[in-house]
């Protein structure tokens, strides 16, 4: 058992050469750096893939919303489901109350659907009522983040700053008569109630 307890006098042991120590440290730093670079690359690649998938989903959703909005009879039928949801308030607590106010306005707006497109030319139209931006404000309403909506607007060649100023005056101009202006007022009122 005495041999196991033999003490070493480190004052007589030769020190490890500096070059060897530096080589070990350099090797460790290089290996660690390579590992961290590889890890960083893999994380960025996965995040990029997820970001692309989310962007595809958002574009698909906006296309579906546009297709649904283009169905002529769907706008008049949209309000009736809201009262059905109102009959069952426990299922969706705060959602049912907002739809009932738009129902009378949209019912009035659904009465003259053919004049609805021509009223757009009114110069006092707000950005949120502008036909070019309506779908983006709908996207904002359903909870899509503003930066993502602005990116989609840039892709579509529109001004992304409009999303930050929904009540600002629109520069949308299209041919139309003065008779259609009051109807556009009614339509914009019903739209503002929905927002």
């Amino acid at each position: 058992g005495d041999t196991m307890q033999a003490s070493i006098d480190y004052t007589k042991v030769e020190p490890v050469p500096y070059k060897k120590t530096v080589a070990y440290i350099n090797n460790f730093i290089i290996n660690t750096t390579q590992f961290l670079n590889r890890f960083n690359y893999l994380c960025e690649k996965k995040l990029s893939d997820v970001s692309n998938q989310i962007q595809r989903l958002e574009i698909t959703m906006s296309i579906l919303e546009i297709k649904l909005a283009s169905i002529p009879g769907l706008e008049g039928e949209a309000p009736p489901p809201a009262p059905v949801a109102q009959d069952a308030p426990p299922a969706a607590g705060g959602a049912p109350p907002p739809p009932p106010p738009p129902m009378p306005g949209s019912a009035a707006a659904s009465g003259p659907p053919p004049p609805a497109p021509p009223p757009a030319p009114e110069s006092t139209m707000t950005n949120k009522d502008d036909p070019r931006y309506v779908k983006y404000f709908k996207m904002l309403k359903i909870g899509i983040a503003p930066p993502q909506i602005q990116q989609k607007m840039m892709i579509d060649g529109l001004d992304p700053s409009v999303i930050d100023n929904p009540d600002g005056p629109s520069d949308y101009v299209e041919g139309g008569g003065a008779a259609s202006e009051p109807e556009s007022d009614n339509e914009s009122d019903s739209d503002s109630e929905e927002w």
Side-chain angles (χ1 to χ4, degrees):
D2 293 354
T3 54
M4 296 295 290
Q5 297 174 352
S7 60
I8 298 174
D9 185 5
Y10 287 106
T11 58
K12 296 179 181 177
V13 175
E14 297 243 347
V16 178
Y18 291 119
K19 288 184 179 179
K20 198 180 246 186
T21 305
V22 170
Y24 285 140
I25 292 173
N26 281 344
N27 188 36
F28 170 77
I29 291 172
I30 290 169
N31 288 338
T32 305
T33 305
Q34 288 174 343
F35 166 76
L36 291 174
N37 285 339
R38 175 80 177 151
F39 180 73
N40 181 40
Y41 168 76
L42 291 174
C43 289
E44 285 183 357
K45 185 177 179 186
K46 288 183 180 181
L47 284 173
S48 175
D49 292 344
V50 170
S51 175
N52 288 339
Q53 289 174 355
I54 290 173
Q55 190 173 11
R56 282 185 195 146
L57 283 173
E58 288 173 354
I59 292 171
T60 305
M61 279 183 56
S62 63
I63 290 172
L64 285 173
E65 288 174 2
I66 294 168
K67 285 183 178 179
L68 286 173
S70 69
I71 298 174
L74 197 59
E75 293 175 0
E77 294 176 11
V84 172
Q86 188 179 7
D87 294 342
M103 185 179 72
S106 61
S110 65
E122 189 176 18
S123 61
T124 57
M125 178 188 301
T126 60
N127 287 328
K128 67 181 178 185
D129 298 327
D130 189 325
R132 297 172 299 174
Y133 301 118
V134 167
K135 68 177 181 178
Y136 302 106
F137 285 107
K138 283 184 182 176
M139 291 166 69
L140 185 65
K141 184 180 176 186
I142 63 170
I144 296 176
Q148 295 168 340
I149 298 172
Q150 290 173 332
Q151 183 179 15
K152 173 75 173 130
M153 291 173 77
M154 285 190 287
I155 291 171
D156 293 343
L158 297 171
D159 181 13
S161 64
V162 169
I163 205 75
D164 297 327
N165 188 14
D167 296 321
S170 170
D171 59 352
Y172 183 71
V173 177
E174 188 179 318
S180 64
E181 289 179 1
E183 292 166 2
S184 72
D185 287 339
N186 293 339
E187 185 178 327
S188 65
D189 291 343
S190 66
D191 288 347
S192 63
E193 288 174 3
E194 290 175 13
W195 298 115

